[in-house]
Amino acid sequence: MTLVKRPRAIPLGYIARNLWVRRVTTALTAAGMALVIYTFATVQMMSEGIRATLVATGQPDNLLVLRKGSGAEINSGIDRVQAALLETLPGVARGDGGRPILSKETVVLNSLAKRSNGKPSNVSMRGTSVAGLALRPQVQLVQGRMFRPGTAEVVVGRAVAEGFLGADLGQTLRFGGREWRIVGIFDASRTGFDSEIWGDVELMMQSFRRNAFSTVVMRLADGPAGAAAVQAAIAADPRLTVDAKVETRFYEEQSEALAKFINVLGTALSVIFSIGAVVGAMITMFAAVAQRTGEIGTLRALGFRRRAVLIAFLLESLLLSLVGGVLGLLAASGMQAVRISTTNFQTFAELAFEFRMTPGIIIATLLFALAMGVAGGFIPAWRAARLRIVDCLRAA
């Protein structure tokens, strides 16, 4: 007697052809899934864009010093005595004439009207010096010139010039009881400094009645490897009640609260929206099972096991969700050309950033799409696999 071997799996081409035969319902279901995937991916890109913007703001060979316990520059204070002590620390890089490459800075907030709606929003004002510009190689003047020390002149970041009224080259801003003339616009390579206004530190402290610096930024002589030694020297000096952090780490911490909030809120919304997409996929697959009852009976009569039928319908749902995932990703990738701004929770100032697509976001988004496919397709696939051959052929 000759044994006939049962076929194990239904060909993938057969599964794909079934989606093409129902191309109208396939397109509508895939479009619904694509909208959910677009939302999910856009939120992830927004979170990553904020994180990338702030992390890129810092330099790995810079050390940023704040008052002990301060979480941001705006609520920090370092008096002149402590600032002078920081200049004498071993491990601080020296420039021409043996002068330390170090910038004593003050950071305050000022309100400006936005171009988009005329409503006021906070902008960070940074009092700095020529040394401050040297510590940030990513900052380059693109129009005008640098402010002159001791004068009421400022330079503004590109995002400020583009996003706020009265921030164009040659215009005048009024804050701190003075008129400040904009003499330059700088490009900070899409980092957080693009959302700031810079001026002379001593004049800004005088205008805002500050008697202490907000922060001190110094270049490490031995690069990132020298950070631990300088931090240890600071901790060992009882006169210095300050915390020192590598600049990249400081800005990474600044991004965590806002990026996490957007990520959690956006993911929660995406999950809620996905319920509708899953229900749509489930209805589509149940309709496919109802329309192909005779076909299922024929497959079972040809020797395909229940498991093969279940896998075939589940793969059909996964292929449908994958199409929706790819469409959603393609739509979301277009957001990389968009630049928007939001309020940073740590500084309460406006922060301009761009959406950022990464391989990790692509993988996470496609996995999310496939998860919707499993959720929407498993029950209909299980139903198809449980149908009896006799009932299927009778219904046909």
Side-chain angles (χ1 to χ4, degrees):
M1 186 175 70
T2 303
L3 295 177
V4 179
K5 187 177 180 180
R6 284 191 174 190
R8 290 190 172 185
I10 298 173
L12 188 60
Y14 167 82
I15 297 169
R17 280 195 300 273
N18 285 323
L19 288 177
W20 177 249
V21 169
R22 307 189 319 277
R23 48 186 172 274
V24 175
T25 56
T26 296
L28 292 174
T29 306
M33 288 187 163
L35 288 174
V36 177
I37 293 303
Y38 170 81
T39 303
F40 180 83
T42 301
V43 167
Q44 302 298 317
M45 291 167 63
M46 182 184 297
S47 177
E48 182 60 30
I50 291 171
R51 185 178 294 107
T53 296
L54 285 176
V55 171
T57 302
Q59 296 292 315
D61 55 351
N62 286 352
L63 203 64
L64 189 143
V65 183
L66 301 168
R67 183 184 64 195
K68 191 176 289 292
S70 297
E73 293 173 297
I74 59 171
N75 57 24
S76 172
I78 300 175
D79 61 41
R80 294 182 182 273
V81 174
Q82 293 187 95
L85 289 172
L86 290 169
E87 288 183 299
T88 65
L89 288 173
V92 178
R94 305 281 164 175
D96 296 337
R99 300 185 63 179
I101 304 176
L102 176 146
S103 180
K104 306 166 189 176
E105 301 182 342
T106 187
V107 180
V108 295
L109 296 179
N110 188 46
S111 181
L112 294 178
K114 301 184 71 171
R115 291 185 187 273
S116 59
N117 51 27
K119 294 182 179 179
S121 184
N122 287 333
V123 177
S124 292
M125 319 282 295
R126 182 178 297 274
T128 185
S129 60
V130 176
L133 187 62
L135 286 164
R136 283 93 180 209
Q138 73 272 40
V139 176
Q140 301 293 328
L141 283 169
V142 292
Q143 294 183 48
R145 57 175 175 82
M146 189 64 175
F147 63 84
R148 292 175 296 181
T151 65
E153 297 177 343
V154 293
V155 293
V156 303
R158 186 188 290 275
V160 176
E162 294 174 351
F164 291 88
L165 295 171
D168 293 318
L169 185 66
Q171 291 189 299
T172 301
L173 299 173
R174 181 169 181 81
F175 56 86
R178 293 178 185 269
E179 300 285 340
W180 300 77
R181 184 165 174 265
I182 300 173
V183 298
I185 296 175
F186 63 84
D187 186 341
S189 303
R190 300 176 180 177
T191 64
F193 294 133
D194 270 328
S195 302
E196 294 185 352
I197 298 175
W198 290 8
D200 179 69
V201 59
E202 294 294 343
L203 199 56
M204 277 201 180
M205 289 177 67
Q206 179 184 339
S207 300
F208 286 99
R209 297 179 176 83
R210 299 294 178 94
N211 55 13
F213 301 106
S214 299
T215 182
V216 174
V217 184
M218 61 185 71
R219 176 68 51 78
L220 295 167
D222 297 327
V230 177
Q231 289 170 324
I234 291 173
D237 192 333
R239 297 170 295 177
L240 294 173
T241 55
V242 297
D243 288 326
K245 299 179 180 179
V246 175
E247 201 175 29
T248 49
R249 177 56 187 162
F250 168 76
Y251 283 107
E252 183 179 355
E253 291 175 354
Q254 294 286 293
S255 72
E256 286 176 354
L258 180 58
K260 184 176 181 180
F261 171 77
I262 291 175
N263 204 358
V264 171
L265 179 62
T267 302
L269 289 174
S270 298
V271 170
I272 293 172
F273 293 157
S274 71
I275 295 174
V278 166
V279 171
M282 193 176 294
I283 292 172
T284 299
M285 295 307 299
F286 267 125
V289 172
Q291 293 172 2
R292 292 155 57 192
T293 303
E295 194 175 303
I296 294 169
T298 302
L299 291 172
R300 294 280 290 113
L302 291 173
F304 287 98
R305 297 180 181 274
R306 295 182 186 273
R307 182 172 58 185
V309 175
L310 185 146
I311 291 174
F313 276 86
L314 190 57
L315 285 176
E316 192 170 317
S317 178
L318 288 173
L319 186 58
L320 179 63
S321 65
L322 184 61
V323 171
V326 172
L327 291 175
L329 271 175
L330 288 174
S333 65
M335 293 298 293
Q336 293 180 100
V338 177
R339 186 177 179 88
I340 64 172
S341 61
T342 187
T343 300
N344 188 342
F345 291 167
Q346 295 284 1
T347 63
F348 303 104
E350 196 84 2
L351 175 68
F353 66 95
E354 295 179 341
F355 292 83
R356 184 181 177 89
M357 180 76 79
T358 65
I361 291 176
I362 294 174
I363 293 172
T365 301
L366 290 178
L367 288 176
F368 184 70
L370 293 175
M372 286 198 298
V374 172
F378 182 78
I379 295 177
W382 178 263
R383 166 65 179 161
R386 302 307 299 173
L387 291 174
R388 296 190 304 173
I389 298 176
V390 175
D391 295 335
C392 290
L393 295 178
R394 185 182 298 120

